[in-house]
Amino acid sequence: MTAAGPGIRVLIVDDQPLVRRGLSLILSPDPAFDVVGEAEDGEQAVALAHRLRPDVVVMDIRMPVLDGVAATEELARTLPECRVLALSTFDMDEYVVAALRAGAHGFLPKDVSPEDLGAAIRTVHTGEAVVAPRLLTRLISTYVRAPLGAPSPPAVATGELTPREVEVWRLMATGLDNPGIARAMDISQSTVKNHITSLFGKLDVRDRAQAVIAAYESGLVTARAGGGDQAGGVTG
């Protein structure tokens, strides 16, 4: 399965052969995708990615030898043009947050529908992130906390972010998508997109997931007491 094709080149990584085969059978009939290889652990994934140069790696998180988080970090460092879409058996998984922090462009549960899997691969191939905003917020508010005395990100500490950008960041971190942010701030969606683009550059983050992680790490937002599965408690 190494022949080049016109579709998005996909490498499938999972330690369970049946899962790998199932994902391949879902994607292969669609001419939009070209499944170029399969790997059973993160070490194989990194080696194959360097040899086959896939556009998207569908990466299991929990694997032997080298787990999906470490493999994602290595690919983000050495093959930044290769997008990683993380898979997990569980919706709420601290390893998912670690993978997003390491450079994954999105996350899907393993019971995802074939249609949603294809749509997610297409989306990450364009460079966009794939995590439902509310699920992203639940994940990060559960597993990410600002350490005591954590310094603010440089862009915040120096006042580089405008008040509007801080508000967009805050709303993004509480789980609103772009239309929701636009309604909350009474601005257009195109203006929201412009603020987000500027925000990402100033925070030195790649996508929405990393921006939300940064919001929790900096203490801009915190999880509600006794309710780690939802965002709230916006702080100064």
Side-chain angles (χ1 to χ4, degrees), residues 112-193:
V112 65
S113 71
E115 294 78 14
D116 286 346
L117 174 63
I121 292 173
R122 288 182 176 91
T123 298
V124 299
H125 181 237
T126 68
E128 297 294 323
V130 174
V131 187
R134 288 292 178 183
L135 176 56
L136 175 64
T137 302
R138 288 177 59 222
L139 273 168
I140 294 172
S141 66
T142 299
Y143 296 114
V144 178
R145 296 288 184 275
L148 292 176
S152 297
V156 178
T158 61
E160 187 178 348
L161 293 182
T162 67
R164 278 292 179 95
E165 288 167 350
V166 172
E167 184 62 13
V168 168
W169 189 23
R170 189 196 311 270
L171 293 172
M172 180 191 305
T174 58
L176 293 185
D177 57 12
N178 287 7
I181 294 171
R183 287 191 297 271
M185 296 182 66
D186 195 23
I187 57 179
S188 69
Q189 289 190 48
S190 62
T191 300
V192 171
K193 290 180 181 178

Side-chain angles (χ1 to χ4, degrees), residues 34-212:
D34 179 17
V35 178
V36 296
E38 299 177 11
E40 65 183 24
D41 59 57
E43 188 174 88
Q44 282 189 10
V46 172
L48 278 177
H50 278 270
R51 180 160 64 87
L52 301 174
R53 299 300 173 112
D55 300 308
V56 176
V57 178
V58 179
M59 180 87 73
D60 187 21
I61 295 298
R62 301 184 183 228
M63 295 182 293
V65 184
L66 188 69
D67 67 26
V69 175
T72 295
E73 186 172 23
E74 178 66 14
L75 288 175
R77 185 179 65 84
T78 60
L79 285 178
E81 69 280 6
C82 177
R83 317 293 187 183
V84 174
L85 178 61
L87 291 180
S88 174
T89 305
F90 309 103
D91 282 355
M92 299 301 293
D93 188 345
E94 62 185 310
Y95 286 86
V96 171
V97 176
L100 294 170
R101 187 185 276 120
H105 280 71
F107 153 71
L108 291 176
K110 284 191 176 180
D111 61 357
V112 65
S113 71
E115 294 78 14
D116 286 346
L117 174 63
I121 292 173
R122 288 182 176 91
T123 298
V124 299
H125 181 237
T126 68
E128 297 294 323
V130 174
V131 187
R134 288 292 178 183
L135 176 56
L136 175 64
T137 302
R138 288 177 59 222
L139 273 168
I140 294 172
S141 66
T142 299
Y143 296 114
V144 178
R145 296 288 184 275
L148 292 176
S152 297
V156 178
T158 61
E160 187 178 348
L161 293 182
T162 67
R164 278 292 179 95
E165 288 167 350
V166 172
E167 184 62 13
V168 168
W169 189 23
R170 189 196 311 270
L171 293 172
M172 180 191 305
T174 58
L176 293 185
D177 57 12
N178 287 7
I181 294 171
R183 287 191 297 271
M185 296 182 66
D186 195 23
I187 57 179
S188 69
Q189 289 190 48
S190 62
T191 300
V192 171
K193 290 180 181 178
N194 290 339
H195 284 316
I196 289 175
T197 298
S198 177
L199 180 67
F200 286 178
K202 291 177 180 179
L203 291 175
D204 192 25
V205 298
R206 189 201 58 242
D207 57 30
R208 200 179 202 92
Q210 291 192 345
V212 175

Side-chain angles (χ1 to χ4, degrees), residues 5-10 26-35 114 117-122:
I8 299 170
R9 295 170 60 81
V10 180
I26 288 171
L27 297 173
S28 293
D30 190 332
F33 306 111
D34 179 17
V35 178
L117 174 63
I121 292 173
R122 288 182 176 91

